[in-house]
Amino acid sequence: MKFLYRNVIMPAAFAVVLGMAIGAVAAPVPAAMSSNPELQLLKQINAWRPPADSQVMFALMAQFANSGQYTEGIAYFNGLMERFGPKLSKVERAQYLTAIAALRAGQANDVFLLKRISWVKDTLAMLDEAKRLTGGQMFIARWMSGVVRAQLPSMLGESGAALLDLQWCVEHIDAAPHAGWLREVYFNLSKLHRQQGHASEAQKYLALSGYTSEDKPVTFTTALSESAANGHRFVPEVIREAVPGTVYVLSGFEFTEFYFIVSADHKQLISIDAGTRPDSARKALEALRARVPDLPALSTVFVTHAHWDHVGGHRYFRSLNPSIRFVGRSNYQAELNNDASGNTAPLKVFFGAGFSMADVLSYRPDERIDKRTELVVGGTHFVLTPTRGGETGDAMLIQMPELGVVFAGDVLMPYFGAPFVAEGSVDGMLASIDQLVTMAPKLILHGHEPLTRLFASPRMLAGLKNQLAWLQAQVLHEIAGGTERSLIHQKNLVPPTLEAEATDVHFAYLILRENLIDRLFEQHSGYWQNGLKGMDHISDADRGAVLADYLGVSESRVAQAAQKMIVDGHHELAADLIRSWRSRHPDSHALDELNRLAFLKLMEKYQDFNPFKFIVYSAQIGQATPPMTRP
């Protein structure tokens, strides 16, 4: 069971906590409201065939849960299980049972009190049947069983079973999609041990989870972390050998990856990119030297592109060796100019308080590449290939042909460049895919850890390219026809050939679709856009005036509406409503908790599915998400 890029189990089991926090009951989504494009696509994908790879099914379950559509989700999965019944393997049936049980757990608080105990027992029976069908070896079934049971009142006597399931998950983390799934395992183990009076054990597991309190209204089963000092990290710090003794991958030391290569003669150390900040570059290299004490001196740095997070640490590397050689594209200055002229306001949110634009703009390559170039460093053969890429115009693919390794930088960045900067190219991404497929590497290492998991092979990239080309044509057609951007998103654009592709292509398409639409719309529309967008300049305060001065809406009515929006899964709408009201009433703090909950639910929805949104939503409420601690 392979999972790519995203964590897909979300908080179905914790809807009881949400219901108590906002005091409302989930209701069907009004027909007039905007649809959830991700949910619509995932429903279509799941209808194609049984879940040979369970990620598409549990991603859909997560969307149902986050939007409060428990009844609809239960009915949908029951329908699929009935439809595919004769074809289902034991594992596939167990996956459906686990998804249904998770949604039932989320709906339990809405069940009539006298029927709730039997509802819970039937839900637990489904989880037990899922474990039986898989011999107790399916991580998701054990995880869900432990998490659901840990939430139940102690009088139901499920604490012991919860402990067994959760401890099994700790001991079988290799069976999980990724280590981030242990965050909720540790958190619930802490809760159970505290209930049993084991204070030291409870504190140990709480620390491992990264939390400092057992009071939280949402569930993060992700390795993402945020802090004002360090910015965003995709995973906890880890060092691994992509090619034993030769290629070292350092993840979680900052926003981007660090790659270090020991040359064939073991006399030179080569780096791919220089990170975002000198202090993080120092920390990463010192950590590697502690792990591999006999590393040679750093002699060469290949730069995949001159973005903030790939050159910002160059000063530290230069301080190590006066004769160090930086090799990058000849058109690097154009990208540095774009870095400096764009919207730099969000950068410290992404990269931390210690980020300095001066560290970026002082980068200069010693050797500049404008055509395919072969170099040998310490007996190791490199091929440097300029490319346009999907993000910047100065991208370069760095190939180690004898080892079958390619360092791709951010040529496949799902956002087609930073969302707050005018850059990115769909055509450039498609061209880079062609180059990577031609190179046929055994291993593609990207500039950020999730990308390495998402865009893992030439095979999936070849399948993905056709889907993206179709989407590009459809979006340009819609723009030319005058369609508003929001309506393009709601059209649920699905290529006719996507069904025939493997699940990893399905997920890559899902992650890219929204961003491709937005980037193309931004590039092909002026500041007056389809649907009269951009022609007026109505502010949040103006909208607040409509509510208070023209409609006479009270603060309590705004709170009631926002509360129901959150329950209905319209978290963006709730946040927008509260922001408008507070712009008119800046001294009012009565809506602070609802505002925080709306953004927490947005973070929960997009964790790993769209980490950039996670970062921005986190900053809106000053929400630090601590990193997990590795045991």
Side-chain angles (χ1 to χ4, degrees):
M1 180 172 55
K2 183 178 181 183
F3 282 65
L4 299 173
Y5 191 64
R6 59 195 293 152
N7 153 56
V8 295
I9 284 289
M10 289 194 191
F14 300 91
V16 175
V17 177
L18 173 61
M20 291 188 295
I22 63 179
V25 175
V29 178
M33 300 296 290
S34 300
S35 62
N36 179 329
E38 295 83 11
L39 187 145
Q40 296 305 317
L41 176 55
L42 284 165
K43 284 175 67 176
Q44 187 161 346
I45 292 173
N46 274 273
W48 287 336
R49 51 184 177 264
D53 187 332
S54 63
Q55 61 180 326
V56 295
M57 184 187 65
F58 284 100
L60 176 57
M61 186 218 74
Q63 291 297 314
F64 276 128
N66 187 266
S67 61
Q69 298 185 51
Y70 301 104
T71 301
E72 296 86 345
I74 292 167
Y76 183 85
F77 284 121
N78 272 318
L80 290 185
M81 191 159 62
E82 181 176 348
R83 173 184 169 189
F84 295 130
K87 302 178 182 179
L88 295 178
S89 67
K90 288 183 178 181
V91 170
E92 291 166 346
R93 183 172 295 278
Q95 291 166 355
Y96 279 129
L97 287 172
T98 301
I100 293 168
L103 291 169
R104 283 174 60 93
Q107 195 181 27
N109 216 36
D110 301 335
V111 176
F112 183 58
L113 185 59
L114 295 179
K115 296 183 177 180
R116 195 172 300 167
I117 295 298
S118 62
W119 178 273
V120 170
K121 288 183 177 179
D122 289 344
T123 299
L124 296 179
M126 287 184 178
L127 291 170
D128 289 339
E129 175 64 5
K131 290 191 291 185
R132 186 194 67 80
L133 287 169
T134 56
Q137 298 302 303
M138 190 170 84
F139 186 92
I140 295 175
R142 297 297 294 263
W143 186 94
M144 187 61 68
S145 176
V147 168
V148 168
R149 283 180 156 96
Q151 305 305 304
L152 297 175
S154 57
M155 66 179 183
L156 294 180
E158 295 294 336
S159 297
L163 277 170
L164 288 175
D165 282 327
L166 295 172
Q167 193 59 50
W168 184 94
C169 291
V170 171
E171 295 167 359
H172 294 81
I173 185 55
D174 288 345
H178 56 71
W181 282 53
L182 280 183
R183 191 188 288 273
E184 287 301 319
V185 171
Y186 292 144
F187 179 82
N188 283 281
L189 282 171
S190 173
K191 178 180 178 179
L192 291 170
H193 280 292
R194 192 169 303 282
Q195 290 174 352
Q196 296 180 4
H198 305 150
S200 61
E201 285 292 292
Q203 188 56 42
K204 177 187 78 172
Y205 283 116
L206 187 64
L208 287 171
S209 75
Y211 294 110
T212 57
S213 167
E214 290 189 358
D215 177 26
K216 62 183 185 69
V218 295
T219 301
F220 292 143
T221 53
T222 175
L224 301 181
S225 63
E226 309 285 334
S227 74
N230 297 321
H232 178 82
R233 308 286 177 90
F234 289 99
V235 293
E237 293 178 6
V238 64
I239 300 174
R240 64 184 181 88
E241 297 181 47
V243 178
T246 301
V247 178
Y248 293 89
V249 182
L250 283 75
S251 304
F253 286 83
E254 56 143 88
F255 188 78
T256 194
E257 299 286 271
F258 286 97
Y259 297 109
F260 293 100
I261 302 160
V262 177
S263 65
D265 63 6
H266 297 280
K267 294 180 180 179
Q268 299 192 52
L269 186 66
I270 303 105
S271 175
I272 306 296
D273 291 334
T276 309
R277 295 164 31 175
D279 60 332
S280 57
R282 175 192 295 273
K283 182 179 180 181
L285 185 52
E286 288 179 350
L288 182 60
R289 289 199 179 281
R291 165 87 172 263
V292 188
D294 59 347
L295 279 179
L298 184 65
S299 66
T300 306
V301 181
F302 292 119
V303 175
T304 62
H305 61 300
H307 245 184
W308 318 276
D309 50 324
H310 295 263
V311 300
H314 76 94
R315 284 178 170 171
Y316 169 68
F317 285 166
R318 284 201 182 276
S319 73
L320 298 174
N321 181 357
S323 61
I324 196 170
R325 176 175 60 159
F326 276 75
V327 182
R329 286 290 304 280
S330 57
N331 59 343
Y332 75 97
Q333 188 62 55
E335 185 53 41
L336 290 181
N337 293 341
N338 199 48
D339 288 350
S341 63
N343 177 14
T344 59
L347 294 181
K348 287 187 183 294
V349 173
F350 281 73
F351 306 141
F355 170 75
S356 169
M357 182 62 80
D359 289 330
V360 176
L361 299 182
S362 60
Y363 159 72
R364 299 288 184 274
D366 303 296
E367 187 169 340
R368 300 169 188 183
I369 304 298
D370 59 9
K371 61 182 180 181
R372 185 181 184 276
T373 303
E374 298 192 38
L375 294 175
V376 176
V377 181
T380 299
H381 179 208
F382 293 94
V383 178
L384 312 180
T385 304
T387 185
R388 172 61 184 88
E391 184 168 69
T392 70
D394 71 327
M396 183 167 68
L397 299 173
I398 301 162
Q399 184 183 16
M400 301 174 70
E402 285 76 19
L403 294 179
V405 177
V406 172
F407 299 92
D410 290 351
V411 299
L412 295 171
M413 176 59 70
Y415 311 96
F416 298 92
F420 42 83
V421 177
E423 61 183 7
S425 170
V426 177
D427 287 331
M429 179 179 286
L430 299 180
S432 290
I433 288 176
D434 283 340
Q435 289 173 299
L436 286 167
V437 170
T438 300
M439 291 176 178
K442 294 183 289 186
L443 180 62
I444 306 175
L445 297 172
H446 297 263
H448 303 275
E449 189 268 350
L451 303 185
T452 297
R453 286 186 277 134
L454 178 64
F455 302 114
S457 71
R459 186 271 311 160
M460 75 80 56
L461 290 176
L464 177 63
K465 181 195 171 183
N466 297 329
Q467 315 310 316
L468 296 181
W470 179 91
L471 179 62
Q472 179 188 34
Q474 291 297 309
V475 173
L476 292 176
H477 174 75
E478 293 290 345
I479 293 172
T483 308
E484 292 182 32
R485 180 167 62 173
S486 60
L487 296 180
I488 297 176
H489 284 291
Q490 292 172 30
K491 282 180 175 289
N492 190 32
L493 296 173
V494 180
T497 58
L498 183 62
E499 179 178 357
E501 298 290 348
T503 301
D504 53 358
V505 176
H506 296 168
F507 266 92
Y509 179 81
L510 174 65
I511 290 165
L512 282 157
R513 182 175 68 172
E514 174 185 333
N515 306 311
L516 186 148
I517 293 171
D518 286 341
R519 184 61 78 185
L520 282 179
F521 202 94
E522 179 265 338
Q523 291 173 339
H524 291 269
S525 296
Y527 53 84
W528 284 4
Q529 300 179 353
N530 295 346
L532 305 183
K533 300 296 187 298
M535 292 183 66
D536 53 39
H537 307 287
I538 298 173
S539 68
D540 289 338
D542 293 328
R543 295 187 180 92
V546 170
L547 294 170
D549 300 338
Y550 292 92
L551 295 177
V553 176
S554 66
E555 187 171 67
S556 62
R557 184 68 186 92
V558 171
Q560 184 181 5
Q563 176 176 294
K564 189 169 191 309
M565 290 172 187
I566 294 172
V567 172
D568 288 344
H570 297 297
H571 314 309
E572 294 94 338
L573 196 61
D576 186 80
L577 172 65
I578 294 171
R579 183 170 63 252
S580 298
W581 177 267
R582 290 169 62 164
S583 293
R584 185 69 171 81
H585 302 276
D587 297 328
S588 172
H589 298 286
L591 301 177
D592 286 357
E593 282 306 307
L594 272 176
N595 184 65
R596 179 173 180 269
L597 181 59
F599 280 107
L600 283 171
K601 292 298 293 180
L602 285 168
M603 292 170 64
E604 181 184 69
K605 177 181 180 180
Y606 288 108
Q607 54 182 318
D608 289 354
F609 175 68
N610 190 324
F612 279 23
K613 286 189 177 183
F614 186 97
I615 296 167
V616 174
Y617 291 143
S618 171
Q620 289 296 305
I621 54 174
Q623 176 69 38
T625 304
M628 295 172 58
T629 302
R630 293 186 178 276

